[in-house]
Amino acid sequence: MGDTGSSLGTDSIKVRPASKADLSPIAEIGANAFSGLRPKDMGLKWVSACFSAFPRMEYWVAESEDAIAGYILWNEKGGFRKDAVLELEQIAVVPNLRNRGIGRSLIFHSLAGVRERLHSRGSRIKLVEVTTGTEQQAVEFYRRSLGTDVVAKIPDYFRGDEFVLVSRKQDET
Ligand SMILES: CC(C)(COP(=O)(O)OP(=O)(O)OC[C@H]1O[C@@H](n2cnc3c(N)ncnc32)[C@H](O)[C@@H]1OP(=O)(O)O)[C@@H](O)C(=O)NCCC(=O)NCCS
């Protein structure tokens, strides 16, 4: 799969599981990226609800010089199965730090952490899915970061049509 943080030139970035203190910065970064988190007070409420849903849902953050540079939200679907189905529900990086490999590093390191947690309960990752806009750059970003293929198109989902992307290469052992 992807590269390590250091080979991406993201040495000063630390990817770690989110703590309660990270919820406000996550809500702020999320509101900047997703209109669904913009209604007043609703962003933090939604983020807090997801955070409380651990291990059903799991936030990780990228920390840069003591500030949160981005976050990722994983979502385990259909129960805590032996063959786990994961959704990458959200990922966002602060606008002035994009295109430096932080997004890819967030995916790589957080997925390694989730994979380890699943292994410790006797599960493996069967597949990872993401829905995203149909722009080629989004499709390419996830293909490079996760090895996803486009498997379906959902018309008029959030802000328009979305592709469903799936990777079955995350836990082949
Ligand atoms: C998607 C996103 C997290 C990538 O973070 P990043 O730190 O810039 O990612 P990286 O530096 O590892 O990779 C950059 C690549 O992402 C691509 N990208 C830019 N906007 C994107 C988007 N909306 N969706 C997916 N990929 C995008 C860039 O084209 C770039 O590709 P390149 O290397 O070929 O130039 C960031 O662009 C972002 O926060 N976008 C707004 C929120 C969003 O759209 N999230 C995805 C939907 S859940």
Side-chain angles (χ1 to χ4, degrees):
M1 216 213 358
D3 302 314
T4 63
S6 54
S7 68
L8 288 161
T10 51
D11 288 346
S12 58
I13 298 285
K14 183 183 167 197
V15 175
R16 58 162 175 82
S19 68
K20 220 169 181 174
D22 301 319
L23 299 187
S24 288
I26 288 173
E28 203 172 310
I29 295 166
N32 189 285
F34 306 112
S35 59
L37 297 187
R38 268 171 223 154
K40 195 170 169 6
D41 299 332
M42 287 314 227
L44 186 56
K45 204 174 229 176
W46 194 84
V47 168
S48 301
C50 295
F51 181 78
S52 300
F54 178 85
R56 166 80 168 76
M57 305 182 99
E58 183 168 355
Y59 278 109
W60 285 62
V61 291
E63 193 172 43
S64 154
E65 293 164 1
D66 293 334
I68 302 305
Y71 74 88
I72 186 166
L73 175 61
W74 292 102
N75 177 13
E76 185 167 355
K77 302 183 81 169
F80 297 134
R81 294 166 179 253
K82 190 160 177 46
D83 292 318
V85 173
L86 289 181
E87 178 181 23
L88 193 174
E89 169 131 13
Q90 281 190 346
I91 180 169
V93 168
V94 297
N96 64 342
L97 293 176
R98 286 178 192 166
N99 296 310
R100 297 177 184 196
I102 296 174
R104 192 168 169 190
S105 182
L106 258 172
I107 291 176
F108 180 79
H109 291 289
S110 65
L111 189 56
V114 173
R115 189 186 296 114
E116 202 177 304
R117 183 170 60 70
L118 293 175
H119 285 181
S120 71
R121 75 160 200 231
S123 295
R124 67 159 194 123
I125 301 171
K126 180 180 181 184
L127 67 85
V128 174
E129 70 177 76
V130 195
T131 63
T132 191
T134 53
E135 304 83 19
Q136 192 55 31
Q137 63 174 12
V139 173
E140 270 302 300
F141 172 71
Y142 290 116
R143 191 189 58 73
R144 281 201 314 261
S145 306
L146 268 173
T148 47
D149 295 314
V150 177
V151 296
K153 183 159 120 178
I154 307 175
D156 193 17
Y157 197 55
F158 292 122
R159 60 192 160 82
D161 297 349
E162 296 238 337
F163 279 146
V164 180
L165 313 177
V166 166
S167 168
R168 294 177 184 270
K169 302 168 189 157
Q170 298 307 322
D171 217 344
E172 286 174 330
T173 51

